[in-house]
Amino acid sequence: MNTATPLLEVGRLRIGFPTRDGGQTTVVEDLSFTVGAGETLAIVGESGCGKSITALALTRLLPRTARMQGSVRFEGQELVELPERRMRALRGNRLAIVFQDPMAALNPVMTVGEQITEAIRAHERIDARTARARAEELLERVRIPQAGQRLDDYPHRLSGGMRQRVAIAIALACRPSLLIADEPTTALDVTIQAQILTLLRQLQQELGMALILITHDLGVVAESADRVLVMYAGRQIEQQPVQGLFDRPLHPYTRRLMRARPQFAPGGTQRPPRLQEIPGIVPTPGTPLPGCAFVARCDIAAAHCRTVPPPLRDFPAQARAACHEIDAAWPPEGSAHPPADRISRGDGRVCQ
């Protein structure tokens, strides 16, 4: 692990929502991780596992009814109890987020230029002309052609890929040290997805910023991440450097995710193997889980897995996993999973 002080430190984060009977539904439980300067952390898992709620919690954009406990320290500053006035000064400045649906994130009655300049002037004391010039530079940086003309366009006049580039430009307006990208390519076709991911990597290198990439696409993870955090039912179940995760996935859920992705037939001459779905569904938030959350879908579960929550344990090569039935020697050599440099993206290409 990094020995330097992390840019972001999340400790035992818990997020819940009140219920009608006066109780609370917990959607994220005991989540801990760090992100170093310039690092890319991917957070993966099925829909409903708590990825997007975690992103909203890190930026303090949760609904008013949500209850957040634990610690979120960003650049040495605790965010959980930070007054909203100070949080607004931080959000969009040092800490920024890009959402998966740019049409919903952008204001339909404001031009692209107005929205970018508004983001800039919210944090910097500059005049309108200077802000507009900066906005044009940002559109050029995110590779939008004819940037000066696009400043006067409304979002509906842009394609989905262009709108996502505008959203990225707004997020980068004040050169944040950490960018959170929540499923930034979900609504785009595969060609545009690749362009957006390449753009994010290039901008990260240019600006030296850290990136939290929230996704369900293992091809994106293999191509973009330094470390991977796997979530299930609101809990962290595994964390590894990206190469280790694809070479030796530890948790049964992670192994199932690997089998459920598109794969190539050997030599490309046979029909590709059939996708292996994970039986069952993710537990509904609020379902009592006295033991392991994955136990009902697990093929190696033992009796105590139903009653005793598995602790998050350390394994060799900077790996951590929460499972009673694994040890440092599991899985055995000769695992059927291909190495990380041969992961299918699902669009007919292979990550190298």
Side-chain angles (χ1 to χ4, degrees):
M1 299 290 182
N2 291 336
T3 56
T5 300
L7 180 70
L8 176 72
E9 299 176 87
V10 178
R12 309 204 69 175
L13 179 64
R14 181 177 182 176
I15 305 167
F17 292 87
T19 58
R20 291 182 179 179
D21 60 4
Q24 179 171 279
T25 295
T26 300
V27 294
V28 171
E29 179 75 41
D30 198 24
L31 181 62
S32 299
F33 62 90
T34 63
V35 180
E39 182 181 29
T40 298
L41 173 71
I43 302 179
V44 303
E46 292 174 86
S47 296
C49 71
K51 306 187 302 296
S52 292
I53 285 291
T54 297
L56 293 176
L58 298 180
T59 51
R60 287 268 303 275
L61 290 173
L62 289 169
R64 292 180 180 273
T65 56
R67 297 292 179 266
M68 184 166 64
Q69 298 174 306
S71 174
V72 178
R73 295 189 65 83
F74 175 68
E75 294 184 330
Q77 188 171 205
E78 179 58 62
L79 304 187
V80 171
E81 300 296 337
L82 194 68
E84 180 57 27
R85 178 182 59 81
R86 293 177 60 189
M87 190 67 209
R88 283 198 302 268
L90 187 68
R91 189 191 304 121
N93 186 8
R94 303 295 297 158
L95 175 65
I97 185 169
V98 176
F99 297 100
Q100 60 181 286
D101 184 355
M103 196 60 191
L106 297 175
N107 190 326
V109 298
M110 293 178 63
T111 66
V112 166
E114 289 171 339
Q115 295 185 63
I116 300 175
T117 57
E118 180 181 62
I120 296 171
R121 299 186 73 186
H123 300 284
E124 298 182 29
R125 293 184 176 181
I126 58 176
D127 58 51
R129 177 178 293 184
T130 303
R132 183 178 172 87
R134 282 267 301 277
E136 183 175 349
E137 291 174 4
L138 284 164
L139 290 186
E140 292 173 347
R141 172 163 270 173
V142 297
R143 320 298 193 259
I144 289 184
Q146 299 178 321
Q149 298 179 31
R150 292 298 187 181
L151 287 174
D152 297 316
D153 282 343
Y154 288 90
H156 73 271
R157 298 189 62 186
L158 306 178
S159 67
M162 296 278 270
R163 287 194 292 263
Q164 193 61 290
R165 289 170 187 264
V166 171
I168 293 171
I170 293 172
L172 299 180
C174 297
R175 300 178 64 92
S177 57
L178 174 61
L179 177 66
I180 301 171
D182 183 10
E183 301 274 13
T185 62
T186 295
L188 308 175
D189 65 60
V190 292
T191 302
I192 304 302
Q193 285 181 17
Q195 294 175 4
I196 294 297
L197 291 170
T198 299
L199 173 63
L200 283 174
R201 286 195 299 271
Q202 291 173 345
L203 292 172
Q204 182 183 19
Q205 293 174 358
E206 290 174 14
L207 301 175
M209 66 184 180
L211 176 65
I212 295 178
L213 181 61
I214 295 174
T215 183
H216 62 272
D217 188 331
L218 291 174
V220 170
V221 172
E223 195 170 330
S224 305
D226 298 310
R227 285 189 300 122
V228 187
L229 187 156
V230 184
M231 293 186 67
Y232 184 79
R235 303 178 183 181
Q236 177 184 185
I237 58 159
E238 183 163 355
Q239 186 177 161
Q240 287 209 56
V242 65
Q243 187 76 39
L245 187 89
F246 285 107
D247 286 349
R248 285 172 57 91
L250 293 173
H251 198 280
Y253 175 62
T254 311
R255 291 169 64 84
R256 288 277 191 166
L257 283 180
M258 297 293 183
R259 295 171 188 160
R261 73 182 186 276
Q263 299 184 44
F264 294 111
T269 58
Q270 307 172 27
R271 178 174 295 182
R274 181 176 178 176
L275 293 180
Q276 299 184 38
E277 73 278 3
I278 305 176
I281 59 174
V282 180
T284 303
T287 303
L289 300 171
C292 175
F294 189 61
V295 65
R297 308 172 75 186
C298 184
D299 54 1
I300 65 169
H304 62 278
C305 296
R306 298 185 179 278
T307 57
V308 181
L312 195 64
R313 295 188 286 150
D314 290 330
F315 290 88
Q318 302 179 0
R320 307 186 79 193
C323 178
H324 293 301
E325 298 301 303
I326 57 177
D327 57 37
W330 193 91
E333 295 298 326
S335 168
H337 305 297
D341 61 353
R342 297 293 297 173
I343 299 300
S344 167
R345 286 174 41 91
D347 59 4
R349 295 187 295 142
V350 174
C351 301
Q352 298 293 340

